[in-house]
Amino acid sequence: MIYRCIGCRKEPHEIAEYVEAAADEGRTPERYVQTEEGTLNRENGHFACTECYIGMGMPSSPEGWIAP
């Protein structure tokens, strides 16, 4: 599965926040998103990076918001 931000359309290895966090933990950026990204839609691989999530107005829901 390809993981992609729904805002900027970048994959985790193209987004500095994931590259840096993953390197600190000895993981790939993709694996970091799989395990740590709360907006990840596990059915289609969509998520919102922090910058895009903030730009969207930080959507939320009682069940927790995931990317469409």
Side-chain angles (χ1 to χ4, degrees), residues 14-25:
E14 300 173 303
I15 303 171
E17 70 175 292
Y18 299 116
V19 172
E20 292 167 11
D24 288 346
E25 297 183 11

Side-chain angles (χ1 to χ4, degrees), residues 5 12 25-26 28-29 38 40 44 47 51-52 54 58-61 63 65 68:
C5 175
E25 297 183 11
T28 65
L40 177 62
N44 60 21
F47 65 93
E51 185 175 328
C52 292
I54 291 169
M58 297 175 28
S60 64
S61 78
E63 299 83 33
W65 185 86

Side-chain angles (χ1 to χ4, degrees), residues 6-53:
I6 62 169
C8 62
R9 307 294 299 153
K10 293 180 181 176
E11 295 179 30
H13 67 271
E14 300 173 303
I15 303 171
E17 70 175 292
Y18 299 116
V19 172
E20 292 167 11
D24 288 346
E25 297 183 11
R27 299 192 269 174
T28 65
E30 288 73 20
R31 184 70 181 140
Y32 184 85
V33 167
Q34 290 172 342
T35 59
E36 304 297 330
E37 179 52 62
T39 67
L40 177 62
N41 182 328
R42 297 187 184 285
E43 293 181 13
N44 60 21
H46 296 169
F47 65 93
C49 70
T50 301
E51 185 175 328
C52 292
Y53 182 71

